[in-house]
Amino acid sequence: MAKTMAEKILSAKARKDVRAGEIVEAEVDYVMVNDITAPAAFDEFEGFCTPPLEKKMVLIPDHYVPNKDVASAIQAKKMRDFASKYKIRNYFEIGSGGVCHQLMIEKGFVAPGRLIVGADSHTCSYGAMGAFATGIGSTEAATVFARGVLWFKVPESMKFEVNGQLGRHVSGKDIILTIIGDIGVEGALYQSMEVVGDTISALPVSERVTISNMGIEAGAKACIIPPDAKVDDYLKGRVRDTYEKVYADKDAEYSDIRKYDAKDIVPVVAKPFLPSNVAPASEVGVTIDQAYLGSCTNGRIEDLRVAAAILKGKKVHEGVRMIVVPASKDVFDKAMEEGLFKIFSDAGAFISGPTCGACLGGYMGVLAPGERCVSTTNRNFIGRMGHMESEVYLAGPAVVAASAVAGRIVDPSEVTG
Amino acid sequence: MTILRGRVHRFDPNDNINTDYIISGRYKFKIDDIRKLAEHVMEDIDPDFASRIEKGDIIVAGRNFGCGSSREQAPRALKAAGVSVIIAESFARIFYRSAFNIGLPLLTCETGWVRSGDLIEVDLSKGEIRRGSTGTVMSTSRIPQVMQILLSDGGLTSHIMKHNGFSLETDKME
């Protein structure tokens, strides 16, 4: 029987031949929780009265660390105390950590063929490495701490084929926003997306992560990209244990197949208040108060390089605040080594250490009523980054950097010439 | 399963009510006290909701209810606020699983005919909704068997404890 990537990985982890629609109990490789979702998982877990499956667990504080206030300090402490009580090795303190999804990938937990769950909706990011990864609730995370398994409904799959050469300033963010604009915020509900094609193969791993990261914004359960030599190269020296690459069979069944020509994809922006509200950046033009570069979606070194190349020797427009948040300590260190911080700082941008921070309206760049932010993050719901009357426009790093310089949302070519 | 009776609450927007609207990111770090969290439920799209809702009330919405973050505080806060069941045209998947895992039932059907303030009666096992004033009856999609098992066991944790693992009779699943 020909299988999709989702069917193959779930069959392997359930140790039986399964296909879309079936309910399976499958062995989970890793379960990740963050400072927001962990406390509820810990409470549920204690009810099981069993030692945790320590090796499978990864604890990453990132949403409100460094602690925003006393309440978040207490919450982060709970995580630290739990890690210490049960001797959980995979706990990443600030100073060595960062945004959970970036860290899961960087620290080698993610690899092709693995089944990974995380109590954070953007866990689907790991599909970029050929894993089946999906977001779960805290109670389910507790179950995996205790039992190492979880039930899954094997999803149907949709295939997205992107072929051809991307234009200048067009990135993975523009590809996924274009797809979400096409299918809508529930266009892939309950389904696994498979994103394939020579355009995708030509992308660096970091931009593939951006694509898989936003699968959830189309409602998807997973967003998987076939792994290749670039993934092997990335994993060399960092991956934990062995892994086996998994691919869909040629005759696998898809609920839908959509094809895109790379040359039709332009730098785009998702306007308020849905990630599907997509328009070419060149047609947006609204003035901005803030430009935000960071998050699990676009806070990698490659994203910072793209922005720095545009900002080099230029100034952030008067009246605009630009905030740069590398997604991990490694990204931070690399950006420093490469002199990117000097470029950002000279341009007048503010640089922070890794945190989820303002992406979810937490802190470090929250918006006032009436303010508008162009952001490399993943959600632009009402009030997402601050006040209910503030607005978030989602875009890739090139559009965000160029818009910071222009003072309004523009196509990057307007600034770079 | 029991018959639930309650007053309907609808919201604007009707579709894509995300977990940030259900419980704002501003309160995420107050999770220790779910009752306190419940006082802010739906605040961003309906500031008076938390003070209006009565135990047993029912939320009715359009498509993709519960999209966005995986925060289990969203279904937990709704349940703590007194919501007995949510009826929508579709649900985002993490919210869907989490709701049943914590013992909050969800039903799927066309919802255009139900208005805010209606008194309705919901028969979970039959998958039927009856509107008090007019007697209109609407069938809903059947709750998947795996969700029925979780619900009748009192949620995921109790299910695991009761059966010492999953007992979802996977072979009989659709």
Side-chain angles (χ1 to χ4, degrees):
Chain A
M1 182 190 87
K3 290 197 182 78
T4 62
M5 288 187 76
E7 287 169 329
K8 273 204 176 162
I9 296 172
L10 288 171
S11 291
K13 298 299 175 184
R15 297 196 185 83
K16 64 179 192 178
D17 215 24
V18 295
R19 60 181 313 161
E22 286 184 63
I23 304 281
V24 300
E25 187 181 322
E27 175 87 21
V28 169
D29 290 295
Y30 289 106
V31 54
M32 187 278 300
V33 289
N34 62 42
D35 52 321
I36 292 204
T37 55
F42 296 156
D43 290 348
E44 285 293 323
F45 169 76
E46 298 291 2
F48 286 113
C49 300
T50 178
L53 297 166
E54 184 267 332
K55 280 186 184 157
K56 287 185 187 289
M57 295 165 59
V58 190
L59 275 48
I60 307 177
D62 62 356
H63 279 56
Y64 284 108
V65 295
N67 309 332
K68 168 187 186 263
D69 51 21
V70 173
S72 60
I74 292 169
Q75 186 172 268
K77 187 169 184 297
K78 271 193 174 170
M79 203 171 194
R80 205 173 293 122
D81 291 348
F82 185 92
S84 151
K85 177 179 173 188
Y86 290 106
K87 301 189 167 49
I88 312 287
R89 272 166 293 183
N90 301 322
Y91 166 78
F92 295 91
E93 191 55 85
I94 58 161
S96 63
V99 176
C100 62
H101 304 304
Q102 175 61 14
L103 227 53
M104 285 294 287
I105 293 169
E106 246 174 43
K107 299 293 180 190
F109 295 105
V110 178
R114 287 189 184 159
L115 174 59
I116 303 175
V117 293
D120 187 284
S121 60
H122 293 106
T123 300
C124 53
S125 305
Y126 321 151
M129 317 289 287
F132 186 94
T134 194
I136 56 168
S138 297
T139 299
E140 293 183 307
T143 304
V144 184
F145 294 174
R147 314 288 309 194
V149 293
L150 194 60
W151 73 271
F152 296 88
K153 183 173 184 180
V154 183
E156 292 193 310
S157 296
M158 294 172 83
K159 184 146 91 174
F160 298 84
E161 267 185 56
V162 191
N163 289 303
Q165 202 177 347
L166 289 173
R168 195 165 156 244
H169 300 307
V170 182
S171 71
K173 183 67 163 276
D174 303 297
I175 295 175
I176 189 63
L177 286 177
T178 299
I179 290 175
I180 297 168
D182 181 24
I183 65 173
V185 290
E186 57 166 349
L189 191 59
Y190 307 126
Q191 309 228 8
S192 172
M193 298 168 74
E194 276 182 30
V195 187
V196 305
D198 58 35
T199 312
I200 307 301
S201 308
L203 289 179
V205 170
S206 72
E207 289 186 48
R208 299 182 197 175
V209 176
T210 305
I211 291 176
S212 292
N213 174 275
M214 290 195 73
I216 180 69
E217 309 314 330
K221 183 169 189 167
C223 184
I224 313 179
I225 293 173
D228 58 8
K230 283 183 190 171
V231 170
D232 290 326
D233 285 347
Y234 180 84
L235 291 175
K236 248 176 232 155
R238 70 172 87 226
V239 70
R240 290 155 199 256
D241 302 323
T242 55
Y243 64 90
E244 202 171 325
K245 296 205 281 291
V246 172
Y247 299 97
D249 291 320
K250 230 169 81 187
D251 305 326
E253 273 180 42
Y254 294 90
S255 60
D256 193 7
I257 298 176
R258 284 167 186 258
K259 298 186 179 185
Y260 299 85
D261 189 332
K263 73 173 184 322
D264 299 333
I265 300 176
V266 299
V268 290
V269 170
K271 300 186 287 185
F273 292 103
L274 283 176
S276 56
N277 195 13
V278 172
S282 58
E283 293 173 13
V284 178
V286 295
T287 56
I288 54 168
D289 302 287
Q290 183 168 297
Y292 189 91
L293 173 66
S295 82
C296 55
T297 314
N298 278 119
R300 279 168 283 283
I301 189 67
E302 293 84 350
D303 301 309
L304 269 55
R305 285 178 193 142
V306 166
I310 292 172
L311 286 163
K312 192 170 185 177
K314 296 191 179 70
K315 293 279 180 204
V316 170
H317 198 273
E318 199 186 327
V320 175
R321 292 125 30 203
M322 178 159 190
I323 300 174
V324 180
V325 189
S328 72
K329 175 197 166 55
D330 281 10
V331 176
F332 188 97
D333 288 351
K334 259 192 206 123
M336 191 154 55
E337 277 164 34
E338 293 181 15
L340 306 186
F341 286 167
K342 173 94 176 110
I343 296 171
F344 292 133
S345 191
D346 285 351
F350 173 87
I351 303 159
S352 129
T355 176
C356 296
C359 168
L360 68 154
Y363 67 140
M364 299 288 285
V366 169
L367 302 170
E371 288 192 328
R372 194 178 285 138
C373 179
V374 63
S375 176
T376 63
T377 54
N378 43 52
R379 292 193 174 128
N380 57 354
F381 303 148
I382 296 170
R384 171 73 179 179
M385 290 184 81
H387 193 269
M388 300 300 293
E389 285 156 29
S390 62
E391 291 182 343
V392 179
Y393 287 68
L394 305 174
V399 170
V400 166
S403 302
V405 171
R408 57 194 169 80
I409 294 177
V410 294
D411 188 284
S413 60
E414 191 179 318
V415 169
T416 61
Chain B
M1 275 181 255
T2 46
I3 291 177
L4 307 167
R5 289 183 190 85
R7 197 169 290 281
V8 168
H9 298 265
R10 301 199 68 140
F11 303 94
D12 181 19
N14 184 44
D15 295 331
N16 303 312
I17 293 178
N18 65 66
T19 53
D20 283 324
Y21 298 167
I22 297 169
I23 187 72
S24 167
R26 291 192 298 282
Y27 302 116
K28 272 185 197 179
F29 53 90
K30 286 190 186 171
I31 53 161
D32 264 359
D33 191 346
I34 199 73
R35 279 173 207 290
K36 245 199 152 94
L37 205 59
E39 290 168 13
H40 299 285
V41 81
M42 294 295 181
E43 189 176 276
D44 283 355
I45 55 173
D46 188 348
D48 304 327
F49 176 73
S51 54
R52 252 191 2 255
I53 185 172
E54 287 173 24
K55 193 168 167 44
D57 279 2
I58 294 166
I59 285 179
V60 177
R63 303 197 62 81
N64 206 22
F65 187 93
C67 62
S69 99
S70 68
R71 243 170 303 142
E72 203 170 285
Q73 289 94 318
R76 280 183 189 273
L78 287 170
K79 195 180 175 209
V83 173
S84 62
V85 56
I86 303 172
I87 304 162
E89 289 171 17
S90 64
F91 291 92
R93 60 162 293 277
I94 304 175
F95 183 89
Y96 190 80
R97 285 178 70 116
S98 287
F100 283 95
N101 285 337
I102 60 137
L104 173 65
L106 310 178
L107 283 173
T108 310
C109 76
E110 200 278 305
T111 60
W113 60 288
V114 192
R115 292 185 307 264
S116 245
D118 283 353
L119 269 171
I120 61 172
E121 207 174 87
V122 179
D123 186 328
L124 289 180
S125 42
K126 274 197 201 158
E128 262 180 22
I129 304 168
R130 184 184 298 270
R131 179 158 60 189
S133 56
T134 59
T136 314
V137 177
M138 174 71 89
S139 297
T140 71
S141 303
R142 203 167 58 85
I143 295 177
Q145 202 186 340
V146 53
M147 296 316 200
Q148 286 184 37
I149 295 170
L150 291 174
L151 205 56
S152 64
D153 282 347
L156 178 62
T157 311
S158 344
H159 172 81
I160 299 278
M161 300 294 273
K162 183 174 164 190
H163 304 280
N164 191 30
F166 285 105
S167 178
L168 300 171
E169 298 179 61
T170 52
D171 296 341
K172 293 180 197 160
M173 294 291 139
E174 346 162 45

